[in-house]
Amino acid sequence: MSRTILAVLMLVLGLGMAQPSQAASYDGDVTSAAQSDRITEPDSWRAIRQGETGYIGGQPAARGVLIQSEGEIWRNFRNGKLAVYAGWALIGVTLAIAAFYVIRGKIMMEGGPSGQTILRFTKVERIGHWLTAGSFLVLAATGLNILFGRWIIEPWLGKTLFSWITWAGKWLHNIAGFVFIAGLVMIFFLWARDNLWDRYDWGWIKGGGGLLKKGVHPPAAKFNFGQKTQFWMVILVGALVSSTGLNLLFPFTMGDIHAMQVMHLIHAALAVVMVLFILGHIYIGTIGMEGASTAVTTGYVDREWARAHHAAWVEDVEKKEPKAAE
């Protein structure tokens, strides 16, 4: 019996001396993954750095990528060329609009307002316009903050306040995106037909839309060629910006992480293009042209303004108006 007990004790003592690392593990000294021979081998790290796919049970194969090298390429392009070119484009267009205003001045109604008005946009049309325009202004402000805020706004507000503003802006951006899509669909059905090419468009192009020279007012239907260009830009580019934005809002719905990075760059670049176009639209609709802004506020415009800029449309409307009793 004593021999049996002695043999057991010697066996236990031998196992403990042969496997000190296992004994140490019971004291909480667990070997980390980085200390293992397989992970620290240069070839293994090189393969991981080059995007080698591992295995995660129950997950798509793409989730097994530990390091995605394209992420650094995306980050450098987003913070580099995209931000730089977009910034210079915004500055350039703003300066061009300012120069145009100084040289051309405000486009006035020749002879002054007539005092008579004509309905240009119905209430439903104005709702569609402001759903699209209002949400776009929110999207533009919050989006430009995400793109440029770290370099322009953060130094003035500090990191804490800037982080709170950007966090709130992110939620506003996400919500406004759905409103913008609703407005986009609405104005498409309201105005797509009126924004098709017609016989007045080529004359409007040749006359520079009456913007370059005083006293020149090419006839136009309800929308001139410049407004049609603006409309289709908003519809087509807006649809692309909306679709890429939805993919970013609901990750992996239309592609993997690499596809999302590409869509993010497309989303940001096209959004900047929209902002550049809308800057000109806002200028013409406010300080750039007398009598234009009331079209989307009250719905009515002065008949003198309408005859100068949309003569063919006024003629059609007046034909449908009831004749005054003689």
Side-chain angles (χ1 to χ4, degrees):
M1 183 68 177
S2 60
R3 291 182 179 180
T4 303
I5 296 174
L6 181 61
V8 171
L9 289 175
M10 291 180 67
L11 178 62
V12 171
L13 181 61
L15 289 174
M17 294 177 64
Q19 298 180 352
S21 61
Q22 291 184 8
S25 67
Y26 290 104
D27 294 331
D29 186 14
V30 180
T31 305
S32 66
Q35 292 172 329
S36 67
D37 293 337
R38 182 176 63 83
I39 296 298
T40 56
E41 292 177 356
D43 290 341
S44 297
W45 275 115
R46 188 178 300 109
I48 292 172
R49 185 69 179 83
Q50 292 173 353
E52 181 180 282
T53 304
Y55 173 76
I56 302 178
Q59 295 292 327
R63 303 284 177 86
V65 177
L66 183 62
I67 298 178
Q68 194 225 20
S69 300
E70 293 87 351
E72 188 67 17
I73 299 173
W74 161 78
R75 179 180 178 276
N76 290 335
F77 186 86
R78 187 263 189 196
N79 293 340
K81 291 183 178 180
L82 177 61
V84 171
Y85 291 155
W88 281 115
L90 289 167
I91 294 173
V93 169
T94 302
L95 292 177
I97 291 174
F100 181 82
Y101 180 76
V102 171
I103 297 170
R104 177 65 171 85
K106 189 170 187 175
I107 301 172
M108 307 296 291
M109 284 185 278
E110 296 176 13
S114 66
Q116 298 179 337
T117 59
I118 184 172
L119 180 63
R120 178 146 176 80
F121 296 128
T122 64
K123 185 175 182 179
V124 173
E125 289 177 309
R126 298 197 304 276
I127 291 174
H129 171 271
W130 283 113
L131 275 178
T132 311
S135 58
F136 177 80
L137 291 176
V138 173
L139 290 167
T142 53
L144 290 175
N145 175 58
I146 293 173
L147 186 59
F148 299 110
R150 180 171 295 178
W151 301 293
I152 298 175
I153 301 177
E154 185 183 289
W156 293 87
L157 298 182
K159 292 183 180 296
T160 302
L161 183 55
F162 173 74
S163 66
W164 277 104
I165 290 175
T166 304
W167 175 83
K170 170 188 171 294
W171 282 102
L172 283 175
H173 195 88
N174 295 342
I175 295 169
F178 292 102
V179 180
F180 178 75
I181 293 172
L184 209 63
V185 173
M186 193 171 179
I187 64 172
F188 175 79
F189 285 105
L190 286 171
W191 291 332
R193 183 176 180 180
D194 292 323
N195 279 278
L196 298 176
W197 176 276
D198 60 39
R199 64 183 185 275
Y200 302 107
D201 290 332
W202 180 238
W204 190 92
I205 295 172
K206 291 192 295 184
L211 300 175
L212 304 178
K213 185 183 294 185
K214 294 182 180 180
V216 177
H217 300 291
K222 185 169 185 177
F223 297 106
N224 59 44
F225 180 76
Q227 293 167 325
K228 292 175 181 179
T229 303
Q230 182 81 25
F231 174 81
W232 289 113
M233 182 282 301
V234 169
I235 294 296
L236 298 177
V237 178
L240 289 173
V241 172
S242 299
S243 61
T244 52
L246 286 173
N247 182 69
L248 298 173
L249 193 58
F250 300 100
F252 307 109
T253 55
M254 292 188 284
D256 57 13
I257 185 66
H258 178 65
M260 289 183 62
Q261 290 165 351
V262 174
M263 288 185 187
H264 172 268
L265 296 178
I266 294 173
H267 181 83
L270 291 180
V272 171
V273 170
M274 288 192 71
V275 171
L276 296 176
F277 272 85
I278 297 298
L279 285 175
H281 179 69
I282 293 174
Y283 165 75
I284 290 295
T286 54
I287 64 173
M289 181 178 290
E290 181 186 19
S293 61
T294 58
V296 291
T297 53
T298 66
Y300 290 86
V301 294
D302 189 90
R303 284 184 183 260
E304 178 62 30
W305 179 92
R307 289 192 182 96
H309 302 287
H310 300 275
W313 169 71
V314 174
E315 184 178 347
D316 289 339
V317 172
E318 289 179 340
K319 286 179 180 178
K320 299 174 183 178
E321 289 179 342
K323 301 291 184 180
E326 296 183 359

